Coordinates of all heavy atoms in Angstrom, one line a residue:
E146 N 40.7 -0.9 12.0 CA 42.0 -0.9 11.2 C 42.0 0.2 10.2 O 42.9 0.9 9.9 CB 42.2 -2.3 10.5 CG 42.5 -3.3 11.5 CD 43.8 -3.1 12.2 OE1 44.8 -2.6 11.5 OE2 43.9 -3.4 13.5
I147 N 40.8 0.3 9.4 CA 40.7 1.3 8.4 C 40.9 2.8 8.9 O 41.6 3.5 8.3 CB 39.5 1.2 7.6 CG1 39.3 -0.1 6.9 CG2 39.2 2.3 6.7 CD1 37.9 -0.5 6.3
I148 N 40.1 3.0 10.0 CA 40.2 4.4 10.5 C 41.4 4.7 11.2 O 41.9 5.8 11.0 CB 39.0 4.5 11.7 CG1 37.6 4.4 10.9 CG2 39.0 5.9 12.3 CD1 36.4 4.2 11.8
A149 N 42.1 3.7 11.8 CA 43.3 4.0 12.5 C 44.3 4.3 11.5 O 45.4 5.1 11.8 CB 43.7 2.8 13.4
S150 N 44.3 3.7 10.3 CA 45.3 4.0 9.3 C 45.3 5.3 8.7 O 46.1 5.9 8.1 CB 45.1 2.9 8.1 OG 44.0 3.3 7.4
L151 N 44.2 6.2 9.1 CA 44.0 7.5 8.5 C 44.7 8.5 9.4 O 44.7 9.8 9.1 CB 42.5 7.9 8.4 CG 41.6 7.0 7.5 CD1 40.2 7.4 7.6 CD2 42.1 7.2 6.0
E152 N 45.3 8.1 10.5 CA 45.8 9.1 11.6 C 46.8 10.0 10.9 O 46.7 11.3 11.4 CB 46.4 8.3 12.7 CG 47.0 9.3 13.8 CD 47.4 8.6 15.1 OE1 47.1 7.4 15.2 OE2 48.1 9.2 15.8
P153 N 47.7 9.8 10.1 CA 48.6 10.8 9.5 C 47.9 11.9 8.9 O 48.5 13.0 8.8 CB 49.6 10.1 8.6 CG 49.5 8.6 9.0 CD 48.0 8.4 9.5
T154 N 46.8 11.8 8.3 CA 46.0 12.7 7.6 C 45.3 13.8 8.5 O 45.1 15.0 8.1 CB 45.0 12.0 6.7 OG1 45.6 11.1 5.7 CG2 44.1 13.1 5.9
L155 N 44.9 13.3 9.7 CA 43.8 14.0 10.4 C 44.3 14.6 11.8 O 45.1 14.0 12.4 CB 42.6 13.1 10.6 CG 42.0 12.5 9.3 CD1 41.2 11.3 9.8 CD2 41.2 13.5 8.5
G156 N 43.6 15.6 12.3 CA 43.8 16.1 13.6 C 42.7 15.6 14.6 O 43.0 15.6 15.8
G157 N 41.7 15.0 14.0 CA 40.7 14.4 15.0 C 39.7 13.5 14.2 O 39.6 13.6 12.8
I158 N 39.0 12.6 14.9 CA 38.0 11.8 14.3 C 36.7 12.0 15.0 O 36.6 11.9 16.2 CB 38.4 10.2 14.6 CG1 39.7 10.0 13.9 CG2 37.2 9.4 14.0 CD1 39.8 9.8 12.4
N159 N 35.6 12.3 14.2 CA 34.2 12.3 14.7 C 33.5 11.1 14.2 O 33.1 11.1 13.0 CB 33.5 13.6 14.3 CG 32.2 13.8 14.9 OD1 32.0 14.5 15.9 ND2 31.3 13.2 14.4
L160 N 33.3 10.1 15.0 CA 32.4 9.0 14.6 C 31.0 9.3 14.7 O 30.5 10.0 15.5 CB 32.7 7.9 15.5 CG 34.1 7.3 15.5 CD1 34.3 6.2 16.6 CD2 34.5 6.8 14.2
E161 N 30.3 8.9 13.6 CA 28.8 9.4 13.5 C 28.0 8.2 12.9 O 28.3 7.5 12.0 CB 28.9 10.5 12.4 CG 27.5 11.3 12.4 CD 27.3 12.3 13.5 OE1 28.4 12.6 14.2 OE2 26.3 12.7 13.8
D162 N 26.8 8.1 13.6 CA 25.7 7.2 13.1 C 26.3 5.8 12.9 O 26.0 5.1 11.8 CB 25.2 7.7 11.8 CG 24.4 9.0 12.0 OD1 24.2 9.4 13.2 OD2 24.1 9.8 11.0
I163 N 26.9 5.2 13.8 CA 27.4 3.9 13.9 C 26.6 3.2 15.0 O 26.5 3.7 16.1 CB 28.8 3.7 14.2 CG1 29.7 4.4 13.0 CG2 29.3 2.2 14.2 CD1 31.2 4.5 13.3
K164 N 25.9 2.1 14.7 CA 25.1 1.5 15.6 C 25.6 0.9 16.9 O 26.8 0.5 16.8 CB 24.1 0.4 14.9 CG 24.8 -0.9 14.7 CD 23.9 -1.8 13.9 CE 24.6 -3.2 13.5 NZ 24.8 -4.0 14.8
A165 N 24.9 0.7 17.9 CA 25.3 0.1 19.1 C 25.1 -1.3 19.0 O 24.2 -1.7 18.3 CB 24.6 0.7 20.4
P166 N 25.9 -2.2 19.8 CA 27.0 -1.8 20.7 C 28.4 -1.7 19.9 O 29.4 -1.4 20.6 CB 27.0 -3.0 21.6 CG 26.6 -4.2 20.7 CD 25.6 -3.7 19.8
E167 N 28.4 -1.9 18.6 CA 29.7 -1.8 17.8 C 30.4 -0.5 18.1 O 31.6 -0.3 18.2 CB 29.6 -2.0 16.4 CG 29.3 -3.5 16.1 CD 27.7 -3.7 16.0 OE1 26.9 -2.9 16.7 OE2 27.2 -4.7 15.3
C168 N 29.5 0.7 18.2 CA 30.2 1.9 18.3 C 31.0 2.1 19.6 O 32.0 2.7 19.5 CB 29.0 3.0 18.3 SG 27.8 2.9 19.6
F169 N 30.6 1.4 20.6 CA 31.4 1.4 21.9 C 32.7 0.8 21.7 O 33.8 1.5 22.1 CB 30.7 0.8 23.0 CG 29.3 1.3 23.4 CD1 28.1 0.5 23.1 CD2 29.1 2.6 23.9 CE1 27.0 1.0 23.4 CE2 27.9 3.1 24.2 CZ 26.8 2.4 24.0
Y170 N 32.7 -0.4 21.1 CA 34.0 -1.1 20.9 C 34.9 -0.2 20.0 O 36.2 -0.2 20.3 CB 33.6 -2.4 20.2 CG 34.7 -3.3 20.0 CD1 35.5 -4.0 20.8 CD2 35.2 -3.3 18.6 CE1 36.6 -4.8 20.5 CE2 36.3 -4.0 18.2 CZ 37.0 -4.8 19.1 OH 38.1 -5.6 18.7
I171 N 34.4 0.2 18.9 CA 35.2 0.9 17.9 C 35.8 2.2 18.5 O 37.0 2.4 18.3 CB 34.3 1.4 16.7 CG1 33.9 0.1 15.9 CG2 35.0 2.3 15.8 CD1 32.7 0.3 15.0
E172 N 35.0 2.9 19.3 CA 35.5 4.2 20.0 C 36.8 3.9 20.9 O 37.7 4.4 20.8 CB 34.5 5.0 20.5 CG 35.0 6.4 21.0 CD 34.1 6.9 22.1 OE1 33.4 6.2 22.7 OE2 34.3 8.2 22.2
Q173 N 36.4 2.8 21.8 CA 37.4 2.4 22.7 C 38.7 2.1 22.1 O 39.8 2.4 22.5 CB 36.7 1.3 23.6 CG 35.6 1.9 24.6 CD 34.9 0.7 25.2 OE1 35.2 -0.5 24.9 NE2 33.9 1.0 25.9
K174 N 38.6 1.1 21.1 CA 39.7 0.6 20.4 C 40.6 1.8 19.8 O 41.8 1.8 19.9 CB 39.5 -0.4 19.4 CG 39.0 -1.7 19.9 CD 40.2 -2.4 20.7 CE 39.8 -3.8 21.0 NZ 40.8 -4.5 21.7
L175 N 39.8 2.7 19.1 CA 40.5 3.8 18.4 C 41.1 4.8 19.4 O 42.3 5.3 19.1 CB 39.5 4.5 17.4 CG 39.1 3.8 16.2 CD1 37.9 4.5 15.5 CD2 40.2 3.5 15.3
S176 N 40.4 5.1 20.4 CA 40.9 6.0 21.4 C 42.3 5.4 22.1 O 43.2 6.3 22.4 CB 39.9 6.3 22.6 OG 38.8 6.9 22.0
A177 N 42.3 4.2 22.3 CA 43.5 3.6 22.8 C 44.6 3.5 21.9 O 45.8 3.6 22.3 CB 43.2 2.2 23.3
R178 N 44.3 3.5 20.6 CA 45.3 3.3 19.6 C 45.8 4.5 18.9 O 47.0 4.6 18.6 CB 44.7 2.2 18.5 CG 45.7 1.8 17.4 CD 45.2 0.8 16.6 NE 45.7 0.7 15.3 CZ 45.5 -0.3 14.6 NH1 44.5 -1.2 14.7 NH2 46.1 -0.5 13.4
M179 N 44.9 5.5 18.8 CA 45.4 6.7 18.1 C 45.8 7.9 19.0 O 45.4 7.9 20.1 CB 44.2 7.2 17.2 CG 43.6 6.1 16.3 SD 42.3 6.6 15.2 CE 43.1 7.7 14.0
N180 N 46.7 8.6 18.5 CA 47.1 9.8 19.2 C 46.4 11.1 18.7 O 47.1 12.1 18.7 CB 48.7 9.9 19.1 CG 49.4 8.9 19.9 OD1 48.9 8.7 21.1 ND2 50.3 8.2 19.4
I181 N 45.3 11.1 18.4 CA 44.5 12.2 17.9 C 43.0 12.0 18.7 O 42.7 10.8 18.9 CB 44.2 12.5 16.4 CG1 43.7 11.1 15.8 CG2 45.5 12.8 15.8 CD1 43.3 11.3 14.3
P182 N 42.3 13.1 18.8 CA 41.0 12.9 19.5 C 40.0 12.0 18.7 O 39.9 12.2 17.4 CB 40.5 14.4 19.6 CG 41.7 15.2 19.5 CD 42.7 14.4 18.6
V183 N 39.3 11.2 19.4 CA 38.3 10.4 18.8 C 37.0 10.6 19.6 O 37.0 10.5 20.9 CB 38.6 8.9 18.7 CG1 37.4 8.1 18.3 CG2 39.9 8.6 18.0
F184 N 35.9 11.0 18.9 CA 34.7 11.5 19.6 C 33.5 10.9 18.8 O 33.4 11.1 17.7 CB 34.6 13.0 19.6 CG 33.5 13.6 20.3 CD1 33.7 13.7 21.8 CD2 32.4 14.1 19.7 CE1 32.7 14.4 22.6 CE2 31.5 14.8 20.4 CZ 31.5 15.0 21.9

Side-chain angles (χ1 to χ4, degrees):
E146 289 299 321
I147 294 168
I148 297 169
S150 69
L151 298 172
E152 183 170 344
T154 301
L155 304 163
I158 301 284
N159 185 98
L160 300 174
E161 191 82 12
D162 293 348
I163 300 173
K164 71 181 181 72
E167 290 92 333
C168 59
F169 301 113
Y170 175 83
I171 292 166
E172 189 202 20
Q173 289 165 4
K174 288 290 185 182
L175 290 173
S176 295
R178 181 169 169 177
M179 302 179 79
N180 286 314
I181 57 175
V183 178
F184 187 80

